[in-house]
Amino acid sequence: IRNEIKQYWDNQSRNHLQHELYHVLLEQTQMEFPESFLRKWMLTGGEEPKTPEQVEAEFPTFRNQLRWTLVSDRIVQDQQINVAREEIRNQMRQQVMGYFGSMSLDGNFDWLDSYIDRMMKDENQVESTYRRIVTEKIFQWAETQVNPELKSISVDDFTAILKEHEHHH
């Protein structure tokens, strides 16, 4: 039980560090966008037209997504981050196995490879898995670029810090 609790809080801590790194990367990377053009594009250029009110409500999120795409693509390029096809397959395998949790499958996994083969034919599934792996690699790299200050705090204080940052999600 102690190890499970430690793993839970280690994961929470790492997620918080990655959240902070995300904001540092976005906020400290200077970019100027042609906002009036982007707003006009959002009105008519998407899958379906939007109202001016929808554009105004969605624009901050759109701008942050655009910023993150540009920043992350630059990191991938500069750091030569690659994702091999086998990494995608392995991630998909872990995901499928995660669905079953601790269920006993009697060690018979013959069906798994054919299922993964079908998943690999779905471009959206492959792209989604690729993005998750790339994002994880970006944060692994970013974590090597900082020296976080380690300090002990109470669960209540840490939970309060996490709650402060929920506004972004």
Side-chain angles (χ1 to χ4, degrees):
I1 292 173
R2 181 184 308 262
N3 287 339
E4 288 179 18
I5 293 170
K6 181 182 181 325
Q7 183 178 3
Y8 171 81
W9 288 111
D10 286 348
N11 288 340
Q12 292 297 313
S13 178
R14 185 159 190 244
N15 288 343
H16 180 65
L17 174 60
Q18 289 180 355
H19 174 85
E20 293 295 317
L21 289 169
Y22 169 83
H23 284 285
V24 166
L25 288 168
L26 278 188
E27 293 161 10
Q28 292 188 7
T29 303
Q30 298 299 316
M31 286 184 221
E32 295 296 323
F33 293 115
E35 291 191 10
S36 62
F37 168 79
L38 291 175
R39 283 184 168 89
K40 287 178 190 173
W41 180 82
M42 285 179 71
L43 275 170
T44 59
E47 291 178 13
E48 55 186 69
K50 297 183 184 299
T51 67
E53 294 79 20
Q54 287 173 310
V55 169
E56 286 309 308
E58 296 173 13
F59 189 76
T61 301
F62 172 78
R63 184 180 49 222
N64 277 346
Q65 288 173 339
L66 181 58
R67 289 175 70 86
W68 177 249
T69 298
L70 294 172
V71 167
S72 62
D73 286 352
R74 182 64 183 259
I75 292 170
V76 166
Q77 179 184 2
D78 289 353
Q79 300 307 311
Q80 300 176 350
I81 294 174
N82 297 304
V83 176
R85 188 164 182 81
E86 194 58 31
E87 288 177 280
I88 295 171
R89 287 186 66 84
N90 289 338
Q91 178 71 27
M92 288 178 174
R93 183 176 287 109
Q94 288 176 355
Q95 180 181 350
V96 170
M97 294 305 295
Y99 294 147
F100 295 102
S102 60
M103 286 177 28
S104 173
L105 299 175
D106 299 324
N108 183 359
F109 298 105
D110 295 340
W111 57 273
L112 188 55
D113 284 333
S114 65
Y115 187 76
I116 300 300
D117 289 341
R118 286 193 302 275
M119 289 176 73
M120 291 293 289
K121 292 178 183 173
D122 180 347
E123 289 181 32
N124 290 333
Q125 185 73 25
V126 171
E127 177 64 22
S128 172
T129 304
Y130 169 83
R131 279 277 153 214
R132 278 195 306 276
I133 294 169
V134 159
T135 300
E136 182 62 29
K137 287 184 175 194
I138 289 169
F139 283 119
Q140 286 172 355
W141 168 81
E143 288 173 18
T144 68
Q145 304 304 301
V146 296
N147 293 316
E149 178 185 327
L150 299 177
K151 63 181 180 179
S152 295
I153 62 173
S154 72
V155 169
D156 292 337
D157 289 345
F158 186 63
T159 303
I161 291 170
L162 296 178
K163 200 153 208 62
E164 283 179 31
H165 296 280
E166 284 181 359
H167 65 273
H168 295 288
H169 304 290

